[in-house]
């Protein structure tokens, strides 16, 4: 079993109101050094592929076809090793 | 004339649309389950509002990949009228039948109230019974209605007269105050406000009915 983590974040030029609201709450708590918060999604997948390359290739297709909206989001993938 | 109303798991304005079509407009209406892959004989399709699949992943994303959407894409490709309301608009965007994206409202809040809008294009099959630049009132009820498009796309939309409806006082942060757009051909239309909740004055406005009446008149003219 190969495990892959896909991290999806809103692009820099996209307004992230959720991140902005959390930033405000952090500042209210006294975390004045934080200048930006951006919030996205984390997806963990388990795949039964022959190789890690094949798993990543399949995940890339999943991102293109469903998981990511390239107009407003970007993503990166990583193999999770125990 | 027969309308089809598509039902996804989590649709919750389907009955409002069915009521408007059957009891107010007095037309036939068929319900279409999202797992169907073949459409019955229809003249127009409504994608209703709601929270299909609980808005998981992105609003409309999972519904837009359901089996019925292939048939709806070919129906639209043949020039059939498709109107997506609220979540239905999000589904049309996620299916790439309409361009752009719908983001979380600028305020991060769910907004439910009457808004004033301007008809920007009264030459579409959905809006031809409005006066040019007519001011109308419709309810909105959404959390992810903030229409996003890059300047290049906005320019294209304006050039092709694809912007059908604009907010008079932007409630959600939408680019260019956009509330509803159509495709270049004009037969696919999506809007965040709810015309099916505005078919009589006792509801606060009857302006929504004009969209359905416009559709009916276009369908009758075609047949």
């Amino acid at each position: 079993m190969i495990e892959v983590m896909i991290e999806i974040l809103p692009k820099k030029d996209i307004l992230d109101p959720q991140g902005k609201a959390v930033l405000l709450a952090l500042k209210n708590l006294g975390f004045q050094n934080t200048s930006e918060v951006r919030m996205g999604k984390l997806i963990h997948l388990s795949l039964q592929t022959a190789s890690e390359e094949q798993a990543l290739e399949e995940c890339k297709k999943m991102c293109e076809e469903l998981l990511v909206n390239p107009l407003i989001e970007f993503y990166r993938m990583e193999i999770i090793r125990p | 004339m027969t309308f089809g109303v598509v039902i996804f798991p989590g649709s919750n304005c389907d009955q409002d649309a069915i009521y408007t079509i059957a009891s107010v407009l007095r037309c036939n209406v068929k319900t279409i389950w999202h797992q169907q892959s073949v459409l019955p004989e229809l003249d127009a399709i409504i994608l209703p509002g709601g929270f299909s699949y609980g808005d998981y992943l992105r609003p409309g994303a999972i519904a837009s990949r359901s089996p019925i959407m292939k048939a709806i894409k070919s129906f639209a490709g043949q020039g059939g009228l498709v109107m997506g309301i609220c979540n239905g608009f999000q589904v049309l965007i996620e299916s790439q039948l309409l361009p752009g994206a719908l983001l979380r409202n600028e305020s991060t809040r769910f907004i439910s109230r009457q808004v004033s809008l301007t008809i920007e294009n009264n030459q579409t099959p959905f809006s031809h019974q409005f006066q040019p630049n007519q001011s109308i009132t419709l309810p909105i009820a959404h959390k992810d209605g903030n229409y996003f498009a890059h300047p290049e796309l906005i320019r294209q939309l304006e050039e092709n007269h694809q912007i059908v409806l604009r907010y008079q006082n932007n409630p959600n942060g939408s680019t260019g105050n956009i509330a509803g757009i159509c495709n270049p051909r004009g037969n696919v239309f999506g809007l965040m406000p709810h015309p099916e909740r505005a078919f009589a004055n006792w509801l606060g406005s009857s302006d929504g009915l004009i969209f359905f009446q416009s559709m009916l008149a276009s369908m009758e003219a075609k047949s």
Side-chain angles (χ1 to χ4, degrees), chain A residues 13-14 17 41 65-67, chain B residues 57-58 65 100 108 148 150:
Chain A
D13 60 336
I14 299 290
K41 300 173 193 113
E65 283 179 37
L66 174 67
L67 300 178
Chain B
L57 197 63
R58 298 177 303 276
R65 274 80 173 175
T108 74
F148 170 79
H150 287 293

Side-chain angles (χ1 to χ4, degrees), chain A residues 22-74:
Chain A
V22 170
L23 174 65
L24 177 71
L26 289 173
K27 292 216 158 157
N28 289 343
L29 288 170
F31 293 100
Q32 294 300 330
N33 295 327
T34 313
S35 62
E36 196 185 10
V37 177
R38 300 193 71 78
M39 291 178 60
K41 300 173 193 113
L42 198 60
I43 302 176
H44 278 218
L45 297 111
S46 304
L47 294 97
Q48 278 162 326
T49 49
S51 67
E52 291 186 347
E53 289 77 56
Q54 203 188 331
L56 288 174
E57 206 173 293
E58 208 162 309
C59 286
K60 185 168 176 271
K61 275 191 203 147
M62 292 182 200
C63 287
E64 288 166 357
E65 283 179 37
L66 174 67
L67 300 178
V68 180
N69 180 347
L71 191 67
I72 53 172
E73 296 168 324
F74 68 94

